[in-house]
Amino acid sequence: MKKYIFSFLLVGSLAFAQQLTIEETVMGPRKYAPKTLVASQWRKDTKSVTYLSTDFANLMEKSATNGWNETTLVTKAELESALKAKISGDEFTLRTFPTAIEWVSTTVFETEIAGKNNNYKITFDVVAKQIKSVVSYSNEGIQAKFAKNNNVAWLKDNNIKITTASGKVIDVTTDTNPAIVNGSDYVHRQEFGIDKGMWWNEAGTQLAYYRKDETMVANYPLTNWNEREAVNKDIKYPMAGMTSENVTLVVFDVASGKKVTIQTGEPKEQYLTMVSWEPTGKFIFIGVLNREQNHLKFNKYDASTGAFVKTLFEEKASTWVEPQHAITFVPNNPNQFVYQTDFYGFNQMYLYSTDGKLIKNLGYKDVVVTNLLGFDATNSKINYIGTANNGLDRHLYQVDLKSGKTIQLTTVSGTHNASVSSDGTMILDQYSNATTPNEISILNVKNKMANTTLVKADNPFTGKIDLPKIELVTFTSADGKTPLNGRIIYPANFDPTKKYPVMVYLYGGSHAQLVTNRWLSGAGYFDIYMAQQGYVVFTMDNRGSDARGKKFCEVNHRQLGVNEMADQMEGVKFLKSKAFVDADKIGVFGWSFGGFMSTSLMTSQADTFKVGVAGGPVIDWKYYEIMYGERYMDTPQENPEGYAKTSLLDKAKNLKGRLLIIHGAQDPVVVQQHSMNFIEACIKAGKQVDYFLYPNHEHNVSGRDRIHMYAKIADYFDTHLKK
């Protein structure tokens, strides 16, 4: 389940202003965004930082050479003029200056541009104000992957095409059956860190790609209600314990047109991930994970024949193995690579040779690596972002490949997004914390002190919005030993002598974290709105959630929701210890896994929770997809007790309070079958339950309809809990 949480910009506390409107629960993040530098990054081989102007129209620069004063580097008009001069046969209308640029030299950046007729990857010289090179492909194409020799592979429907540097278009695949999908990143439902489906070798002469065969997976209907007569849109949705897709990896040679299927072997129902070319192009590496997801083999294959060469290493676990990162080769050293894994407790880095020998453990304490930024100029050190402070903070770290020694480059407690200059002497550091809306500084690597401050944002709500107090709290989990992080948002005009109703907002599943030390503590706009309406709003990250290591997460194995609920009840116990909490008026709201948790708590802790709202809820894990579901629950055939224990269908009879279930009728993630079957179970049990559909939305409700949804949820709590 790919982090299907409601995400919001964070907000701070003020006095003597007004409250958020229900519209601002959705529109507020842009309206009240703290001052920042948009798309800021180091300009290659300089001591200069580039970013976009506040109107997104120009590329700006601040440099050490001029005292960090702001100058305009390139305007949108200059870029449009260069496009028209270089590509006269197309039309360009840029709404903004491109936000995603990459500096390839001191004076040249590359970016992607969409024209009226074609899509382009260009390189632009900021001194000459000219486009240096152009690579184009059809505007029908998606998921384009560019090679260093200017070949580009792209997808049209379920097939791959290549536009060569000379402009020739090659049909790599021509499958007419839509259940044969080539080159797409939507393989294995994008679990296992999969974010691409095509990979060029270093020379750009061969393309590796996924070929997904889902002909054996049954069609699952989603009804489109907008037609004159409603029609079904079939998707492939392999449910737990049922037949899964078969995926292979194919290598296509551009010059000869020859295809080689990599011999990943049997059984066909396995997972292929971590796809990486060896820098010479002779070999390709694949992580082969069994369907049971408890045995990973990291294999080396001959790219020219597809033959298996050797297994470099294996990982086996009694719970699960979850590879999430392709290997990263050390620049200018084709014989060494960096591998990330949480197999030894925390997601950390390990230096390996290409013959499978572990050279150095690059891990540091209990730091979880969240973002590998890259190597320094000497290729002897790696910069990365990792956790600290029991998962609340994010900091910049640097590890030496030879010694394994790690240093922490940022020091102020908070959530840092930082990078190191090309020469390794300066850090561009952007951070926020519970009391700092946003601060961007240039730090000195040696003493970690700020040379200059580029942005020190004021509280964006001053004089506009009266926000309640937000407090980070810590308490102990149900195991009696694990510290858990929580957040309390106090009601507006808080009076400690009064008693207030409570809304618990939760998620609780893996790969998600709701409580963080950033602006302000991870709270969302709807959380703030409900506190302003007179609720105590409480959120915690139970065991099973993210950023605390594998042991923290794997308590959910074969029993999703059991220990998570136990921890949530410790949070409730913590709340009930507060004199200002009305213990008879506690409600709960969550979406996706949070919807599962909300429904679980409403049926298993019916005397505690009086009102619940469950959005897109999993009701029975046998209706959920294979890749995520079987990792944690195994199959229904292997774990019937666990599936029965966590199913909510037979627990509908326990419902006492008021429960509102919300579902998107087009949901391809948690299909509507979950909530429909729960409604039927409530009917059979004689239990009243409220149900609301958003006919044209998928797993999340977006756009202005989200305002409607929040208004409905707020009204539901006001009607059934507050009054």
Side-chain angles (χ1 to χ4, degrees):
M1 194 175 294
K2 305 293 287 187
K3 297 184 184 177
Y4 292 105
I5 332 162
F6 288 106
S7 57
F8 311 88
L9 193 66
L10 313 174
V11 290
S13 58
L14 286 169
F16 313 116
Q18 64 182 14
Q19 295 183 351
L20 291 170
T21 65
I22 194 67
E23 288 79 13
E24 287 174 333
T25 62
V26 176
M27 306 302 180
R30 296 185 68 178
K31 184 175 181 179
Y32 300 113
K35 182 181 178 182
T36 192
L37 299 180
V38 177
S40 60
Q41 61 178 300
W42 287 107
R43 185 174 169 182
K44 189 171 183 178
D45 297 328
T46 71
K47 294 183 179 180
S48 302
V49 173
T50 63
Y51 55 96
L52 297 189
S53 57
T54 54
D55 61 359
F56 293 81
N58 305 310
L59 183 64
M60 313 301 291
E61 181 179 51
K62 289 178 182 280
S63 176
T65 60
N66 70 351
W68 301 104
N69 291 312
E70 183 176 83
T71 58
T72 300
L73 198 57
V74 186
T75 67
K76 179 167 69 74
E78 288 172 333
L79 180 57
E80 285 179 322
S81 176
L83 285 167
K84 292 172 183 177
K86 186 73 172 181
I87 313 170
S88 58
D90 210 338
E91 298 177 21
F92 300 90
T93 304
L94 302 183
R95 295 182 61 188
T96 68
F97 197 92
T99 56
I101 69 168
E102 181 179 351
W103 288 98
V104 295
S105 71
T106 303
T107 60
V108 176
F109 68 77
E110 65 181 19
T111 191
E112 294 184 44
I113 299 285
K116 183 178 180 180
N117 303 318
N118 288 300
N119 296 323
Y120 302 90
K121 184 177 184 179
I122 65 166
T123 58
F124 183 85
D125 189 313
V126 298
V127 176
K129 301 292 194 291
Q130 293 179 346
I131 292 174
K132 307 297 289 185
S133 66
V134 177
V135 178
S136 67
Y137 65 99
S138 170
N139 60 6
E140 296 179 316
I142 61 172
Q143 295 187 32
K145 296 293 178 289
F146 297 90
K148 289 187 176 180
N149 64 354
N150 290 338
N151 286 339
V152 55
W154 47 279
L155 304 184
K156 182 180 180 183
D157 299 325
N158 59 322
N159 285 303
I160 304 170
K161 295 178 181 290
I162 290 175
T163 302
T164 67
S166 64
K168 178 183 177 182
V169 177
I170 300 172
D171 291 320
V172 179
T173 62
T174 55
D175 287 295
T176 56
N177 187 335
I180 304 295
V181 182
N182 299 285
S184 171
D185 60 12
Y186 200 70
V187 165
H188 305 321
R189 297 188 70 85
Q190 293 183 318
E191 296 290 336
F192 320 112
I194 293 171
D195 60 2
K196 62 178 68 173
M198 298 182 288
W199 300 262
W200 285 106
N201 66 357
E202 189 74 12
T205 56
Q206 292 184 317
L207 180 76
Y209 64 90
Y210 281 133
R211 182 182 188 273
K212 177 173 68 171
D213 181 354
E214 48 187 3
T215 55
M216 67 292 297
V217 179
N219 289 332
Y220 192 93
L222 297 179
T223 302
N224 178 359
W225 303 102
N226 291 326
E227 300 295 328
R228 178 63 178 84
E229 293 181 333
V231 296
N232 279 335
K233 172 190 174 184
D234 288 332
I235 64 170
K236 297 292 186 178
Y237 194 90
M239 289 185 178
M242 301 179 74
T243 303
S244 186
E245 65 196 33
N246 295 343
V247 176
T248 52
L249 193 81
V250 181
V251 174
F252 175 79
D253 186 88
V254 177
S256 67
K258 177 184 175 183
K259 296 177 185 175
V260 172
T261 299
I262 302 299
Q263 298 170 21
T264 49
E266 300 284 345
K268 292 182 179 179
E269 290 190 13
Q270 59 187 1
Y271 304 113
L272 307 183
T273 186
M274 300 169 58
V275 176
S276 308
W277 280 96
E278 188 237 13
T280 67
K282 294 180 180 179
F283 303 102
I284 198 162
F285 298 91
I286 307 173
V288 181
L289 181 69
N290 62 340
R291 175 164 170 174
E292 293 77 11
Q293 299 188 47
N294 57 15
H295 186 188
L296 171 72
K297 293 182 178 180
F298 188 63
N299 292 342
K300 182 178 183 179
Y301 299 89
D302 187 310
S304 62
T305 66
F308 168 77
V309 177
K310 67 178 297 186
T311 297
L312 273 66
F313 53 79
E314 301 181 52
E315 292 181 358
K316 297 180 182 180
S318 59
T319 52
W320 68 81
V321 177
E322 187 181 6
Q324 295 189 74
H325 306 277
I327 60 175
T328 302
F329 276 90
V330 178
N332 302 320
N333 189 343
N335 300 314
Q336 292 184 359
F337 62 84
V338 175
Y339 170 59
Q340 290 187 63
T341 180
D342 69 353
F343 184 69
Y344 301 101
F346 301 93
N347 184 60
Q348 296 183 338
M349 297 180 293
Y350 301 83
L351 182 64
Y352 274 89
S353 68
T354 50
D355 62 5
K357 178 184 177 182
L358 175 62
I359 300 172
K360 184 68 65 174
N361 180 345
L362 303 177
Y364 181 59
K365 298 181 179 179
D366 62 352
V367 171
V368 175
V369 176
T370 59
N371 187 9
L372 195 163
L373 300 176
F375 296 83
D376 71 348
T378 66
N379 298 324
S380 63
K381 297 176 182 178
I382 296 177
N383 301 313
Y384 66 94
I385 302 293
T387 61
N389 190 19
N390 266 343
L392 288 172
D393 288 4
R394 299 291 185 274
H395 281 283
L396 175 65
Y397 298 88
Q398 186 177 80
V399 59
D400 186 279
L401 293 179
K402 186 175 182 180
S403 67
K405 180 182 178 182
T406 296
I407 57 175
Q408 184 175 320
L409 295 177
T410 51
T411 57
V412 178
S413 182
T415 298
H416 292 257
N417 181 16
S419 59
V420 181
S421 61
S422 298
D423 66 0
T425 64
M426 294 181 174
I427 299 167
L428 172 62
D429 177 38
Q430 177 178 3
Y431 85 94
S432 70
N433 58 31
T435 57
T436 305
N438 188 37
E439 189 164 320
I440 304 176
S441 300
I442 303 296
L443 310 183
N444 185 298
V445 167
K446 288 185 177 180
N447 61 22
K448 306 176 184 63
M449 301 295 291
N451 286 348
T452 189
T453 299
L454 303 182
V455 172
K456 191 174 180 64
D458 294 328
N459 189 321
F461 303 98
T462 301
K464 301 174 183 177
I465 297 294
D466 183 6
L467 293 171
K469 174 186 174 182
I470 301 176
E471 180 184 7
L472 289 173
V473 297
T474 303
F475 50 93
T476 304
S477 72
D479 67 3
K481 59 184 179 181
T482 305
L484 300 176
N485 300 319
R487 178 185 65 237
I488 296 177
I489 309 177
Y490 290 84
N493 303 313
F494 175 66
D495 182 346
T497 65
K498 293 183 178 180
K499 287 189 177 293
Y500 295 91
V502 175
M503 184 187 83
V504 175
Y505 173 65
L506 50 67
Y507 182 74
S510 64
H511 299 301
Q513 181 184 16
L514 298 185
V515 183
T516 54
N517 185 19
R518 60 187 175 113
W519 176 252
L520 258 176
S521 307
Y525 271 58
F526 185 68
D527 300 336
I528 299 298
Y529 176 86
M530 292 299 284
Q532 289 178 330
Q533 304 308 307
Y535 294 87
V536 172
V537 180
F538 178 75
T539 295
M540 59 165 287
D541 287 321
N542 51 250
R543 287 173 299 157
S545 55
D546 201 25
R548 299 286 298 276
K550 190 171 183 182
K551 286 186 178 180
F552 187 84
C553 186
E554 65 186 6
V555 297
N556 60 17
H557 189 232
R558 293 172 67 92
Q559 52 176 6
L560 280 171
V562 175
N563 284 310
E564 296 93 323
M565 280 194 293
D567 285 355
Q568 289 289 336
M569 292 309 295
E570 290 300 309
V572 170
K573 183 193 298 184
F574 173 81
L575 284 174
K576 288 182 175 180
S577 71
K578 306 297 182 182
F580 56 82
V581 166
D582 188 338
D584 294 325
K585 292 186 175 181
I586 299 178
V588 60
F589 163 45
W591 204 274
S592 196
F593 196 99
F596 164 67
M597 291 286 290
S598 297
T599 312
S600 297
L601 289 166
M602 288 295 295
T603 53
S604 67
Q605 301 291 335
D607 292 329
T608 297
F609 293 93
K610 301 304 191 295
V611 173
V613 177
V618 173
I619 295 297
D620 191 314
W621 288 101
K622 71 174 178 282
Y623 298 132
Y624 200 67
E625 49 91 353
I626 284 172
M627 294 77 186
Y628 180 98
E630 290 183 5
R631 177 187 310 134
Y632 303 111
M633 291 292 291
D634 294 335
T635 67
Q637 297 89 333
E638 295 165 332
N639 183 22
E641 299 86 0
Y643 276 83
K645 187 176 184 178
T646 59
S647 174
L648 303 178
L649 294 176
D650 64 343
K651 299 173 183 62
K653 63 181 181 293
N654 301 331
L655 184 65
K656 293 182 180 180
R658 297 299 300 254
L659 175 62
L660 169 64
I661 293 179
I662 303 174
H663 219 131
Q666 308 302 314
D667 194 336
V669 179
V670 180
V671 292
Q672 194 186 341
Q673 184 173 354
H674 286 269
S675 57
M676 292 294 279
N677 283 346
F678 185 77
I679 297 300
E680 179 67 16
C682 287
I683 294 168
K684 292 291 191 291
K687 297 294 180 177
Q688 295 295 326
V689 64
D690 297 306
Y691 192 54
F692 194 87
L693 279 179
Y694 283 90
N696 297 313
H697 288 272
E698 296 189 350
H699 192 51
N700 277 334
V701 178
S702 58
R704 293 199 62 86
D705 290 355
R706 197 176 180 90
I707 299 171
H708 181 279
M709 180 195 73
Y710 279 145
K712 173 165 284 294
I713 295 169
D715 178 69
Y716 199 79
F717 276 102
D718 285 349
T719 301
H720 300 296
L721 188 67
K722 190 177 181 181
K723 296 177 181 177

